[in-house]
Structure formats: C-alpha cells, structure tokens
Amino acid sequence: MRRQYYMNLLLLAYQSFGVVYGDLSTSPLYVYKSTFSGKLRQYQDEETVFGVLSLIFWTFTLIPLLKYVTIVLSADDNGEGGPFALYSLLCRHAKLSLLPNQQAADEELSSYYRNGFAPRNGSAPWLRRFLEKHKKMRTVLLLIVLCGASMVIGDGVLTPAISVLSSMSGLQVRATGLEHRSVVLLSCIVLVGLFALQHRGTQKVAFVFAPIVIIWLFSIGGIGLYNILHWNPNIYQALSPYYIVKFFRKTGKDGWISLGGILLSMTGSEAMFADLGHFTSASVRVAFVTVIYPCLILQYMGHAAFLSKNTFHMPTGFYDTIPEPVFWPIFVVATLAAVVGSQAVISATFSIVKQCHALGCFPRVKVVHTSRWIYGQIYIPEINWILMVLCVAVTVSFRDTTLIGNAYGIACMTVMLVTTFLMALIVIFVWQRNIIFALVFLVFFGSIEAVYLSSSLMKVPQGGWVPLVLAFIFMSVMYIWHYGLRRKYQFDLQNKVSMRSILSLGPSLGIVRVPGIGLIYTELVTGVPSIFSHFVTNLPAFHEVLVFLCVKSVPVPYVSPDERYLVGRIGPKEYRMYRCIVRYGYKDVQRDDDNFENMLVMSIAKFIMMEAEDASSSASYDIANEGRMAVITTTDDAGTPLTMRDFNGLADSMTTRSSKSESLRSLQSSYEQESPNVSRRRRVRFEVPEDDDMGQQVKDELMALVEAKHAGVAYIMGHSYIKARRSSSFLKKFAIDVGYSFLRKNCRGPSVTLHIPHISLIEVGMIYYV
C-alpha cells in the first residue's frame, strides 16, 4: 500500500511538470532582458549584476518556496486551489456569501469543514461578526476575489503571448536576416496550434508535455552550471542579501523601477495553487523542491555569471548565454517549453471559470470533462477561443516581450496580493490561529508584493494597461451576472406563495390533476415559489405528483453521491407534493445522466418509508415542520422500498408521456428515431413489493408515485425575464436591463446546462421586476 502511494505520488509529480510548472520554468527566457531594458542599462557593471541576482534569488525563495510551497498549498479546499477555493472555505466557516441559500443541512456535508477544525468563532470573533453584519464588507470581499479571478484569466491571455514570443525571438540571434514581423507571425501560428490542442484534455497534454519541461529544466540547469564555472565561479557571493542593499544604494529609483522585470522570475507561482485540483499538494511540492528550484537557481546564477563578464550583452536575452554547439537543440526545446508554459495558465483559467460559474459569478458555459479517471480536468470551448483571440491580438499589437512583460507583471502581482489577503483571513477563520499570525503573514508577504506591484504600475502607459482593461471587463461580467442572480433570488424569496393559500385549495389545488410527475425547477430551498401560482393560473391541469426541484451549488469542491439528495414534503400526504434539493460542489460536473429520473423516484420513495418509520410524522400536518428535509442515500440498496427492473419494450402505455393515443405514440416513436440520445435512455419499470409490514397508506402513496413515473415525467421551468423597476437608479437599470439581459441572451440556457430532454420540457414566461 505504501509503495503504491509513492508510485502515484511520483506519477503525479511527473505530470505536474507538464501542467503546473511550464510557466515558472520558462521565466529565464525574459527575466534579465526585461530587467535591463530600461534605465538600468546605465549601470552595466558587475556589482549591478550581483544585486539583480540577489534580488531574484531571495524573491524566488521567499514567494514561490516559502509562501506557496510551504504555506499556501496547505490551505487547499479538499484538494482544490485558487482564489475561489479560498473564498468558498471562508464562506463555510463564516457567513460571508451574498447569496442567501445556505441551509443547516449543508453544514452536515462530510467535506464542509476541514478535518480537525470544528466550527468555532476562531481567534477574532469580533472580526467575524463585523464581516457578517455589514453587507458592504462582504461585497468588497467578493469584488477582491473577482479581481483575483479576472487577473488569472488575464494571465491566460498574457502568458502564452510572452512565452512563445520570447522563445521564437531566439531565431534572430542566429538567423540575423530574419525580420521581426516574421517572428511575430510564427509565434501566432504556434499559439493557434496550442489552443487548438486544448480539447484533447489536460491529462493527455501533461503526458506529452512533461518530458519536454524536464529536458528543458535539466538543460538550463546544466547551461547555468557551465556558465558559472566558465565565466565567474564567485557568483555564489551574490546570494548574500547585502548585495540588495548595495544595489538600491547605487541605482535608487531606477533600481526600484527595474523590479517590474525581476518579478517575472516568480510568475507562474500562482499556477501551483490554482492548478492544485489536477494533482495533489504533496506531488506539487516534491516536483518543486527536487527539480524546479535547484535548476532555476542554477540557471539564474549562470546567466548572471555570463553578464558579469559580458556587460554589453545586457540588453539581449537568454539565447546569448547558450554555448554555440548546443544552440539549436536548446532553441527547439525552449520553443516547446514555452508552449508548455502557456498550458499551465490555460488549465488554471478553465478551473477558475468553472469555480466562478458554480458559485454564481459567471454566465453559463459548456464544461467538458476530459478525463475519465481524474475528475477535476476540464475544458471550456468558449473560454478557450476567447483566450486565443485575445492572445493573438496582444502578440500582434505589442510585438515586444518587454511591453507584454509590463502587463504580465501587473496581472501576476495582483493575483498574488489577493491570495495573500485571503490567506490572512484563512489563518483566522479556518485555521483558527491568533490574529497576530495572520497580520505577520499579511504584512511580510503583502509588503514584498506591494513593492513589486508599485514598480509595475509605473509602466501602465507602456503596456501595463492591458491587464487592467481585461480585469475590468471580466469583473464587470462576473459581478453583473452575480448581481442579477442575487436580485432574482431575492424576488423569489420575497414573493413566496404562502402555505395557507396552498392548503386552502385542497388536494386537487383547484385544478385537474392528470397522471404523471411534474418536476418544477426553482431556486428556492424553502417555501413555494411565486412562479407556481403563475403556472396554475396559465395551465388548466397539473400532474398528479409534483416535485419542486432545486439544483443548488454548495461552496464545497465535491458532494458525495450519498449526500447529494435532500427530500422533504410540501403539504399533507394526500397533496402528493414533494421538495427535492440536488446539491453539487463547485468542481462537480453535472453529467447528462440518464438515471436522474430513476434516482429521483427512488429518493422520494425512500423518504416516504423513512417518514413512515418516524413516529412523529404520523401526526397531522403542521406548517411549522415545512422546512424539514432528509438526506437520502442513493448508493445503498438496502431498505429500498421499490424494485427497479430494466424495461426494453417499445412504444407502450407506460412510455408515451401520459397518453394512450395512437397518434401521440407514433409521434413519440418518430422523435426517438430522429433523436438517438433519447432512444438510448435507460427504460426501467418500478414495482412495489408485496410487504405485509408496510402500511396501506404508505403502499398507496408508493403506488401513486410508481404509476405517475410510468405515465411520464415533465420538466417545468419558468422562462424568466428580469427587468429593473422604473424607480430604480440609472446604474441598476443599466446593470439589469442591459448588462444582465445581454449575458442571459448570449449564454447557454438553463435547460441545456441541466441536461433536460427537450421533448419533456414545458416553459412558461414570467417577468421579474427587481
């Protein structure tokens, strides 16, 4: 068992080179060139080179090694990383979520609280109460998280551009007659090819790319060692922080501005945390400590040793340090490694968009699960092509790695600052440490990152405006979508139908009850939504069994199938009305599961049996017990009140959607012939076993449920139009009537996202004035 663990650990560490570390390992292509591209050219001497190397060494040691590998990777959310993983952790340990759909039952999920951390007030209960009480503070926290998520998406645009363009520029070192625009054209071709490969999936890409990164790392490590021995063996002296002090004494403001180039040495560090869902924290740590850190430090020292004796090469890049006999092999490996470097941030972008979408902060997009074995590996076509277009546009517009580096630095440092801020809150609320520890972490790492960010912001006119514009666009999209969803939910919450009015209608609800099950989709977790009265007003008949179905995202990465279904009853038993809440985590992929209807029926049947066994439920119906729900285990067949058998018959009265009409049966048959996905759906027949111990009332309710299932299931949704009230402010009208309306019309519909079969879908339009 232990041997198998280490084998899996080494395998994941090997794969992590191809996904997580591609970006970090290609930084030597452009760090020194960007650092010496400005006024630092005036200080072309050995002492300046020693100072730059000392800054790179300590930056690389403190941020990637100490902050991320040692501390931040320990703050994973059940194996998931990134700004939204930290935010979801905070929302579970303190009521910081803006969407008021949390239930007490959610806190009973096995993955809700971290192991060893019971729900307590923590070390600063006053801070927790302050954040929970003030909605504006929670809104600011959400905006900070959205800013970090937007900058990760910005990284997905800038990383491929700077990595590929830097590697391809090596052609001009040997092929001196090659024009720069030809290099840009070749870079664009490589970028298009990279994004076209994404649909193959992270795992396949990782297996192909990992050997390339490993070869690249050992190559640059070997070249660095050669340059140290050949040019300046005393370069190790620069590891002393004393040279940093001498560097700033000598260069002053020019040295501070050059920090925008030095910070590029740690770009890609955030990918270690953001891509954590694809691997494990142990495998990421093993890869970094054993290979990444020593090879990159050797390369940076070797490059500095070369520059210390060849100061006239300072404005040029990495390729001048390569010995001539191995130039072309290293160029090929560098180009391939640059492509891999882009993969790290592209994978992180897919992960962050999926998390944003699940937590209600991104419009509905298509999420493709690319691995049968590793659950977290996904591909999002719309995001992939948007990234490709923006990336090619940045490459063609700037054509210079220094300008792209200015933009890249701002994006990376902003993400790192957001992570530092969220980690300080994690230390208090989740790890439940003293607030002093959080302040030390925030001040120490935050001050370092703030200095680097301040240097990058000086270069906003020279390309640094790009990530700011991209972040503003993506933040606007995310916040407007979240705001629209929140207002819609609050409208439903405030306009719920009272249970007294439902009870006054009687078991028939004042309309004709026809055979079949009606699944009414709602976002409410308690009460009857106002859209139900809208349905009853517009439809002359309703199904015999009604199930109010809420598909809900919970701020945990994954929800176990045994904890997914929550079932309860609405009204007395003779009303045949139930509520079912289906819970998914922000990393769960909702598959097109043919078995969903059967699982739902089984869950309701188990709830009926559980309710019958509960002595308290035998009493008369009480409105006070309306919100009571039960967790239904779906994978355990023990105690199942129904038997389920495969039914392969053709057109039959039980599969004709509530009708024995010959014409409807022929329509059903022709539709299934034209729609192979429908004809492949598993057909089953439920039976109520002859059990003398089962009460007659329970048996009658189960029989009614089975007959309704055989008659057919209809999916009922409200086609909602959200509009701002006339009295609303201009900003609110613009956000709802223009922004949210545009996003809703141009994203995937809820029926597509929920994999609802079109033949069974009923939609009724309704206008929400929020």
Side-chain angles (χ1 to χ4, degrees), residues 17 20-32 60 158-167 212-214 216-217 220 264-268 292 296 299-300 303 318-319 330 332-345 401 408:
F17 287 106
V20 175
Y21 289 118
D23 183 17
L24 196 62
S25 64
T26 52
S27 296
L29 287 170
Y30 42 78
V31 169
Y32 281 102
F60 198 77
L158 298 167
T159 300
I162 191 171
S163 299
V164 174
L165 190 57
S166 297
S167 65
I212 296 170
V213 176
I214 293 172
W216 163 254
L217 285 165
I220 62 176
L264 296 177
S265 62
M266 57 180 171
T267 54
I292 299 290
L296 287 179
Q299 165 57 31
Y300 288 126
H303 199 149
F318 162 81
Y319 287 103
I330 295 298
V332 173
V333 176
T335 303
L336 294 173
V339 173
V340 180
S342 309
Q343 179 64 41
V345 184
T401 55
Y408 191 27

Side-chain angles (χ1 to χ4, degrees), residues 578-596:
Y578 309 93
R579 179 186 309 286
C580 182
I581 299 174
V582 187
R583 300 179 292 184
Y584 289 95
Y586 59 78
K587 294 289 285 187
D588 277 323
V589 177
Q590 300 177 25
R591 299 172 185 269
D592 187 2
D593 192 0
D594 295 343
N595 207 28
F596 173 73

